[in-house]
Amino acid sequence: MARLKVGVLISGRGTNLQALIDACALSSFPAEISLVVSNVPGALGLERAQASGIATEIVNHKDFDDRASFETKLSGILEAASVSFVCLAGFMRILTPTFVNHWYDRLINIHPSLLPAFPGLNTHQRAIDAGVRFGGCTVHYVRPEMDNGPIIVQAAVAILPDDDADQLATRVLEAEHICFPHALRLIAENRTRVRGDVVEIAGANPAQSVLINPTP
Ligand code: GRF
């Protein structure tokens, strides 16, 4: 079966991009990365892509008068590279409804919290301050409202008594690197169906246990 042609949008260091690159390096993986686009020149993720022989483009939002022209350029570049599906991997620009609707159900994002809790920035500190027992990450289809949309995969990561935001972020990031390729595989294998707010997954493997923190 033909592999799903994916474009990845980044703004920074690109460790999630790297997880996708590593997954796509396996010939059995049902997707391939056709193009990596950064809105930030010099983003470390660009070097990761180039090191793997993946085409890169820089579309610097500062070069555009408005969001509409920036996004028109983004979509044009992606389509010129025959991309049919887009992953946001630490892409730090808000996307307008026009872009989101153009790529509707063909656009996913990874966010470092258990959505719908803690959308937006500074999630780990906010989770610690709220006293919740689990942080985590979410891969979801993108909808116009930020960090919102039908959830594909989540990982729960226990928050430990002495955690600071950096320590929690490090453990959540490890989970992100598993969840993002996992979600992309489910999609590329055509196993996801979006029904309203809910994603149904054919042949899903449910998580096996209840997690209690602290453990009784
Ligand atoms: C990740 O924590 C991701 O969840 C968030 O931005 C961060 C990007 O990190 N959206 P990286 O560039 O993938 O290392």
Side-chain angles (χ1 to χ4, degrees), residues 112-187:
S113 78
L114 286 173
L115 291 173
F118 310 116
L121 298 175
N122 205 18
T123 52
H124 303 299
Q125 190 60 54
R126 286 159 57 215
I128 290 168
D129 291 347
V132 297
R133 298 304 191 207
F134 291 96
C137 63
T138 304
V139 185
H140 63 97
Y141 287 98
V142 175
R143 296 294 181 259
E145 195 184 332
M146 190 182 64
D147 296 329
N148 186 277
I151 291 168
I152 306 155
V153 173
Q154 288 187 307
V157 176
I159 297 179
L160 306 178
D162 295 327
D163 266 347
D164 61 26
D166 287 345
Q167 289 167 322
L168 178 57
T170 300
R171 296 203 309 283
V172 170
L173 196 61
E174 277 180 41
E176 292 184 46
H177 298 161
I178 299 168
C179 288
F180 213 179
H182 177 35
L184 182 59
R185 173 187 281 280
L186 292 171
I187 289 163

Side-chain angles (χ1 to χ4, degrees), residues 8-166:
V8 184
L9 304 189
I10 62 165
S11 300
R13 65 189 167 175
T15 65
N16 278 289
L17 166 65
Q18 188 68 56
L20 295 175
I21 291 172
D22 293 345
C24 291
L26 301 173
S27 58
S28 59
F29 196 79
E32 63 190 35
I33 301 174
S34 302
L35 182 66
V36 172
V37 185
S38 174
N39 67 310
V40 177
L44 180 59
L46 291 167
E47 290 173 34
R48 296 178 186 272
Q50 286 153 7
S52 297
I54 297 168
T56 60
E57 295 268 9
I58 296 165
V59 183
N60 186 346
H61 57 280
K62 293 181 181 162
D63 294 340
F64 295 82
D65 291 337
D66 50 31
R67 285 186 194 273
S69 52
F70 167 66
E71 292 179 353
T72 300
K73 178 71 176 178
L74 271 185
S75 286
I77 277 182
L78 290 164
E79 279 159 0
S82 300
V83 162
S84 55
F85 196 90
V86 178
C87 295
L88 304 179
F91 183 69
M92 301 304 284
R93 299 297 295 172
I94 290 173
L95 294 164
T96 69
T98 306
F99 185 92
V100 171
N101 289 330
H102 182 77
W103 293 97
Y104 202 84
D105 285 353
R106 300 187 298 144
L107 179 63
I108 62 173
N109 179 48
I110 186 156
H111 180 75
S113 78
L114 286 173
L115 291 173
F118 310 116
L121 298 175
N122 205 18
T123 52
H124 303 299
Q125 190 60 54
R126 286 159 57 215
I128 290 168
D129 291 347
V132 297
R133 298 304 191 207
F134 291 96
C137 63
T138 304
V139 185
H140 63 97
Y141 287 98
V142 175
R143 296 294 181 259
E145 195 184 332
M146 190 182 64
D147 296 329
N148 186 277
I151 291 168
I152 306 155
V153 173
Q154 288 187 307
V157 176
I159 297 179
L160 306 178
D162 295 327
D163 266 347
D164 61 26
D166 287 345

